[in-house]
Amino acid sequence: MKVLYVCPFAHYSGHHPHVSKVEPEYLQKAGIDVTLLTFSGIINNAEVNVKHVQVLKGHDKLQGIFKKIRLKTLPRWVIMFTETIFTLRKAIQMQRKDNYDVLHWRDGEPFIFLSHLLSLPYRNINWFVSLTAAIVFKPKLTKLDIIRRPFVVLYTAFLYFMVNNSIWKLLYKLSAKRNNHFYAPQNSLAEKAYKGYLNGIFKDKVECIELGIGDHIQVPDKELSRKRLGLPLNKFILLSFGAPNAGKDMDTMFKAISQSDAYLVHGGTHTFSLGSSPIELAQRYNLNGRAKIFNYFISEEEKPYFFGATDAIVLSYNKSFASTSSMMWEAARYKLPVISSNANSLGKDVARYNLGLLFEAQDSISLRDAVKKYQRLTPNEIESFKIGCEKFVRDYSDTKWAEKCIKVYKRLLNEQ
C-alpha cells in the first residue's frame, strides 16, 4: 500500500515538525510504502527516514519571501492558507502520477474544506484527515483576552464562525460523490463534536484515533542535564515545554510559580505562536532568578536534557481546551510525571493512568497548591506516576496507532 503523508506546516514550531518526522516512520515500520510531503521541509532542516518531497525545494527566493511574511501575525494566516493550497495541490498531482492509495493529511484544520475543493475535479481520491478540535468548539474569550491577545480573538472567531458556516455543505455533498474522506480526531470529545459538525454531514466518516508514541527514551542523568542547560543543581524544577498556543494557559502557570519556591524552565519558541510570551510572563511575575526561558525550537537531540533535568512537567490549559495535549504523550515517553489542569479529556487521562497531580484549570492558587503537594510526595508515590507512564505508552504505542490507520486506509479503498 502506498501512502502520501501530507504536512503543510512542518516548518513551523509546535507539534507539526515532530509528528511529520515520527508518524511516517511509524507507518513505514508497519510495512507501508510511505512518502512525506511538506511545503518547505521540516524546521531546523530535520531529516526523516522515509522518502521526502518538498513543494518549494530549490526555490530559494520564494522560500525567503515566505519566511519574511511568516514572521508577521496577520499576514501569516494568509501565508498558511497559501501553503496549504500549494501542498494539497502537489499531493493531488503526486497521487494522479504515482497512484498513491491514500493521502494522509496531518492536521486538516483550519482549512478543512480545501481537500474537498481542490480534489473536486477528480475521482476516487482517498483522504485520511487527522484533526484536533480547533473548529468545533465555540471559543470562550474574556475581556482580558481582547486586551492582551486581540489577534487570538480574531483568529478563533474566524475559525469558529467562518469554517463552521453552512455555506460549505454543498461542497461537501458534491465532493462525497466523487472522492472519499475520513476524519480522525484525537480524542472522544472531539470525535463527538465532529460527528455533529454542520448537522452531522461527516458523522459516518469520523472515528477517534489517539496519538501514537514510540518506546520510552532513557533520559540523561539529572545533574548532567542541568549542567548542560545551565540550571541550578539543588532546586525543584518544573518544565513547561512546546510552543505556546491559544489553548495553553501560560498566565496561570507563571502566576502560580511566582507564589511558590519552584524554579521554572520553558523550552519552545514563541515566534509563530498566538499564545502568551513566556519571556513577558517571566518579567510580569518577577521570576528573575527563578525561571529560564529557551525561546527557540528544541530539537529532538536536545529534548531529552529538558525532560532529564526537571522534576515534573506542567500541563496548564484553558477550561475550554478540548484538543489533545501532545505533551502528555511526550511526558509519558520520558517517564516524567505531570501536574495538569483537570479540564476535559486531558484531566481524565491523567487521572485514569495516574500520570501525576491535577489542579483546577485556570486557577493559579490550585496550581500553586498542587506544586507544593508534589514537593511533599514520597519517592514511592512519584515512582507510581512513572509506572502509570509505562502503561500509557503500552496502550498508545506507535504500533497500535499505525494499525488503526491502516484499517482506515483499507476501508477507504474498499469504498471506491
Side-chain angles (χ1 to χ4, degrees), residues 173-304:
K173 288 179 180 179
L174 290 173
S175 174
K177 294 179 181 179
R178 303 178 67 84
N179 300 290
N180 298 320
H181 277 75
F182 181 91
Y183 296 96
Q186 296 163 4
N187 62 60
S188 58
L189 190 63
E191 176 188 36
K192 182 179 179 181
Y194 273 106
K195 282 183 179 292
Y197 174 70
L198 294 183
N199 297 320
I201 197 165
F202 296 153
K203 66 178 181 180
D204 296 327
K205 303 288 185 178
V206 176
E207 182 181 317
C208 171
I209 297 182
E210 298 89 348
L211 298 175
I213 191 166
D215 295 334
H216 282 296
I217 291 180
Q218 186 66 39
V219 296
D221 174 77
K222 182 172 286 188
E223 182 176 345
L224 172 66
S225 297
R226 292 187 174 187
K227 287 181 178 179
R228 168 75 179 258
L229 299 178
L231 301 176
L233 299 180
N234 59 349
K235 294 282 188 180
F236 176 76
I237 302 181
L238 294 172
L239 176 63
S240 164
F241 199 87
N245 60 52
K248 286 187 178 180
D249 182 19
M250 306 289 286
D251 194 282
T252 291
M253 178 174 61
F254 276 81
K255 187 175 181 179
I257 298 300
S258 72
Q259 299 168 346
S260 73
D261 62 356
Y263 187 100
L264 180 69
V265 56
H266 173 82
T269 178
H270 183 253
T271 303
F272 300 120
S273 174
L274 289 173
S276 300
S277 166
I279 294 174
E280 292 178 3
L281 288 173
Q283 293 171 347
R284 182 187 304 163
Y285 291 107
N286 196 27
L287 286 179
N288 296 328
R290 288 205 298 118
K292 188 167 185 178
I293 311 300
F294 294 81
N295 188 30
Y296 58 85
F297 178 77
I298 310 299
S299 68
E300 290 300 303
E301 292 72 28
E302 191 176 9
K303 188 187 294 185

Side-chain angles (χ1 to χ4, degrees), residues 38-255:
T38 63
F39 180 74
S40 57
I42 303 176
I43 196 170
N44 288 358
N45 297 315
E47 295 184 0
V48 291
N49 296 318
V50 302
K51 291 174 286 186
H52 182 190
V53 176
Q54 300 177 36
V55 175
L56 277 193
K57 188 174 180 62
H59 297 275
D60 295 336
K61 289 185 178 180
L62 271 176
Q63 290 204 43
I65 293 170
F66 273 81
K67 186 175 182 179
K68 287 180 181 178
I69 301 174
R70 216 177 275 139
L71 294 174
K72 304 293 183 180
T73 302
L74 283 174
R76 188 186 311 144
W77 303 341
V78 178
I79 286 294
M80 294 180 80
F81 182 72
T82 305
E83 290 167 340
T84 305
I85 289 177
F86 276 107
T87 309
L88 297 190
R89 182 172 174 270
K90 178 71 172 180
I92 293 170
Q93 291 173 343
M94 292 177 66
Q95 192 275 336
R96 308 306 292 174
K97 179 183 177 182
D98 299 320
N99 296 315
Y100 284 95
D101 297 300
V102 177
L103 304 182
H104 183 137
W105 178 14
R106 185 47 155 88
D107 293 340
E109 297 121 332
F111 312 118
I112 190 172
F113 52 86
L114 279 178
S115 58
H116 294 270
L117 185 63
L118 294 174
S119 58
L120 195 59
Y122 307 100
R123 286 187 179 275
N124 298 325
I125 298 178
N126 297 311
W127 289 94
F128 176 107
V129 185
S130 73
L131 301 167
T132 57
I135 65 173
V136 288
F137 292 100
K138 190 173 182 178
K140 296 179 180 178
L141 302 168
T142 66
K143 291 181 181 179
L144 195 59
D145 289 324
I146 296 172
I147 295 171
R148 289 184 178 174
R149 302 189 293 169
F151 289 144
V152 174
V153 176
L154 183 61
Y155 178 68
T156 53
F158 168 79
L159 287 187
Y160 186 78
F161 295 108
M162 181 60 184
V163 184
N164 283 277
N165 199 298
S166 60
I167 61 172
W168 303 113
K169 277 190 173 182
L170 178 60
L171 170 64
Y172 294 146
K173 288 179 180 179
L174 290 173
S175 174
K177 294 179 181 179
R178 303 178 67 84
N179 300 290
N180 298 320
H181 277 75
F182 181 91
Y183 296 96
Q186 296 163 4
N187 62 60
S188 58
L189 190 63
E191 176 188 36
K192 182 179 179 181
Y194 273 106
K195 282 183 179 292
Y197 174 70
L198 294 183
N199 297 320
I201 197 165
F202 296 153
K203 66 178 181 180
D204 296 327
K205 303 288 185 178
V206 176
E207 182 181 317
C208 171
I209 297 182
E210 298 89 348
L211 298 175
I213 191 166
D215 295 334
H216 282 296
I217 291 180
Q218 186 66 39
V219 296
D221 174 77
K222 182 172 286 188
E223 182 176 345
L224 172 66
S225 297
R226 292 187 174 187
K227 287 181 178 179
R228 168 75 179 258
L229 299 178
L231 301 176
L233 299 180
N234 59 349
K235 294 282 188 180
F236 176 76
I237 302 181
L238 294 172
L239 176 63
S240 164
F241 199 87
N245 60 52
K248 286 187 178 180
D249 182 19
M250 306 289 286
D251 194 282
T252 291
M253 178 174 61
F254 276 81
K255 187 175 181 179

